[in-house]
Amino acid sequence: MYHSKHFSQIFIVYLKKKPKRIYCYLTHSTNHTMKYTFFFLTLMFFYACLPTNQTEKTMIPSNTKTTEFALVIHGGAGTILKENMTPELEKQYHNKLRDALLTGYNILENGGTSIDAVEATIMLMEDSPLFNAGKGAVFTNDGHNELDASFMDGATQNAGAVGGVRHVKNPIQAARAVLEKSKHVMLTGAGADAFAKSQGIEMVDTSYFYTERRWKSLQNAKRKEGGNSLILSEDDNYKYGTVGAAALDKSGNLAAGTSTGGMTNKRYGRIGDSPIIGAGTYANNATCAVSSTGHGEYFMRYLVAYDISARMEYAGEPLEKAADMVINDKLKAKGGSGGVIAIDKYGNIAMPFNTAGMYRGYVKADGAVKTFLYKSSE
Ligand code: ASP
């Protein structure tokens, strides 16, 4: 661009100084090559006069704000197949995803922050036994529930997370408290529980997290692990069901949060990607807000959430392309299964996953709630 601009300046000077000579040259010259050269130079001149950022613009295809605000959520990815579901269960998932989206929508519609919307949306899913977070958390190998959660504010890039809490009813609240009320980013175990309690967050007895479905899943996982050949197949759903949300508010601020019980049968104080900033959650007003779900060890090794933001920031990729590349190309090639939900500063939404299904949905300012369970748009 510099060269053509430079050239156009020289050409303008020439046009100004020698108008007659050019006219005579064009009308009297029989030399076609020279005529064509002149027209070529004229074309270049007009091209050079285009606004300087014209070519740069083509690198950012999706740079128009598509909505005043928006919210996107997931309820976990895994072997979610229609043949394994009943119509009743499908309905329950759709309804709960819808309730969660409407909760966040009302906050955003009334001018609330993306942080408030993400927290309220996730709390609603944590309170449902349908998801592997809060009430529906999976069991560890020794029969406990250890919960992880994280939160990130795209405006300040401040973040908070808790790992392995056992008494916090809604771990996403504790993650937000770490973000807003502490100097730290991540607290774990008994210390994280104590901090949450000190902040007035609702605490529960460990028995609150017991659900028969998750208890049975642990027994199945243990039997399978024990090499019992009678257990031929295991539904991967026992692993997944993490919840997450990402939102854009009316002020243009992004936020994301993730909450999980982790993976069934986990042991030795294992903590997954969900409370790791950059892996399970990421938000940056300049790029996007992301929440992940899937096999955490892979999401941690490949910093999935941050990688999407980095591709947008450094390579100028639009959200959808960046998210798709990371989940369906990079992660898949390494054997990592799962997906993300993501939103950019323009309100564009991406929900790629490389598993059979992912509980997911979104709502924009028009209020049309969309929820999906499988690969197809059902
Ligand atoms: N990512 C979570 C973990 O590894 C599990 C999930 O998303 O389902 O702890």
Side-chain angles (χ1 to χ4, degrees):
M1 185 50 78
Y2 168 79
H3 292 299
S4 45
K5 267 259 187 271
H6 185 65
F7 164 77
S8 70
Q9 277 157 10
I10 297 169
F11 193 51
I12 286 169
V13 171
Y14 186 74
L15 282 174
K16 276 185 189 159
K17 284 191 176 169
K18 313 278 182 195
K20 266 189 193 158
R21 184 179 294 181
I22 289 172
Y23 175 75
C24 293
Y25 168 75
L26 280 175
T27 47
H28 300 297
S29 170
T30 51
N31 183 336
H32 279 46
T33 314
M34 293 304 276
K35 269 188 185 171
Y36 289 137
T37 308
F38 180 80
F39 283 120
F40 172 70
L41 291 175
T42 310
L43 274 179
M44 273 192 72
F45 167 71
F46 284 116
Y47 174 72
C49 289
L50 288 172
T52 324
N53 63 356
Q54 195 72 18
T55 46
E56 283 151 26
K57 267 186 187 165
T58 59
M59 289 170 67
I60 310 164
S62 201
N63 58 357
T64 329
K65 203 160 185 185
T66 55
T67 178
E68 213 190 344
F69 62 89
L71 172 69
V72 58
I73 62 172
H74 69 76
T79 315
I80 301 162
L81 292 167
K82 201 170 174 59
E83 52 264 38
N84 297 337
M85 294 280 257
T86 61
E88 179 49 36
L89 198 55
E90 277 181 350
K91 211 167 126 194
Q92 283 181 30
Y93 275 106
H94 278 299
N95 287 345
K96 195 48 80 178
L97 291 169
R98 188 183 167 78
D99 287 353
L101 285 165
L102 286 175
T103 300
Y105 176 87
N106 287 332
I107 292 169
L108 295 169
E109 233 263 300
N110 291 318
T113 65
S114 50
I115 293 185
D116 282 343
V118 165
E119 184 186 39
T121 304
I122 290 182
M123 281 177 71
L124 192 128
M125 291 192 281
E126 284 178 334
D127 290 343
S128 163
L130 286 175
F131 304 104
N132 171 19
K135 177 64 187 160
V138 297
F139 284 91
T140 62
N141 177 266
D142 53 4
H144 294 116
N145 304 98
E146 295 177 353
L147 303 100
D148 305 332
S150 62
F151 218 123
M152 189 157 182
D153 173 6
T156 60
Q157 297 238 262
N158 200 354
V162 291
V165 291
R166 288 187 177 181
H167 295 277
V168 181
K169 181 170 179 258
N170 293 101
I172 197 67
Q173 279 191 307
R176 180 175 178 172
V178 175
L179 184 161
E180 289 177 342
K181 312 266 176 58
S182 86
K183 289 180 184 157
H184 309 294
V185 169
M186 190 175 189
L187 302 177
T188 62
D193 272 318
F195 172 76
K197 195 173 177 191
S198 77
Q199 297 303 309
I201 288 169
E202 188 175 352
M203 307 299 280
V204 288
D205 185 78
T206 52
S207 60
Y208 166 79
F209 297 108
Y210 178 88
T211 56
E212 207 185 327
R213 173 186 173 207
R214 299 301 188 188
W215 185 253
K216 278 187 179 160
S217 292
L218 174 66
Q219 308 316 316
N220 283 343
K222 280 184 156 182
R223 265 201 301 277
K224 191 184 173 195
E225 190 184 62
N228 185 340
S229 58
L230 289 175
I231 309 291
L232 293 175
S233 69
E234 181 65 82
D235 179 355
D236 274 349
N237 270 328
Y238 78 92
K239 288 182 193 164
Y240 303 139
T242 295
V243 304
L248 167 73
D249 63 26
K250 285 184 178 175
S251 309
N253 289 321
L254 294 170
T258 309
S259 180
T260 190
M263 291 174 86
T264 299
N265 202 22
K266 65 183 182 181
R267 61 187 85 187
Y268 312 123
R270 180 264 188 189
I271 286 176
D273 63 309
S274 305
I276 306 292
I277 297 303
T281 299
Y282 194 73
N284 178 353
N285 269 8
T287 54
C288 62
V290 183
S291 170
S292 312
T293 177
H295 196 150
E297 278 64 18
Y298 290 86
F299 282 72
M300 285 189 270
R301 285 158 62 197
Y302 301 107
L303 278 175
V304 165
Y306 175 70
D307 198 16
I308 293 168
S309 170
R311 293 180 77 96
M312 294 174 72
E313 189 174 356
Y314 302 128
E317 285 184 3
L319 175 77
E320 221 174 304
K321 185 178 175 196
D324 186 58
M325 283 295 289
V326 171
I327 295 300
N328 287 314
D329 204 344
K330 287 180 75 175
L331 191 68
K332 199 173 172 186
K334 299 289 182 187
S337 62
V340 292
I341 49 103
I343 183 167
D344 70 11
K345 59 180 174 174
Y346 306 112
N348 295 307
I349 277 167
M351 306 184 291
F353 54 96
N354 62 32
T355 46
M358 181 166 84
Y359 303 121
R360 64 201 186 280
Y362 69 87
V363 62
K364 293 190 176 188
D366 63 7
V369 174
K370 312 271 184 202
T371 58
F372 314 90
L373 312 185
Y374 314 112
K375 271 256 186 280
S376 62
S377 44
E378 272 180 84

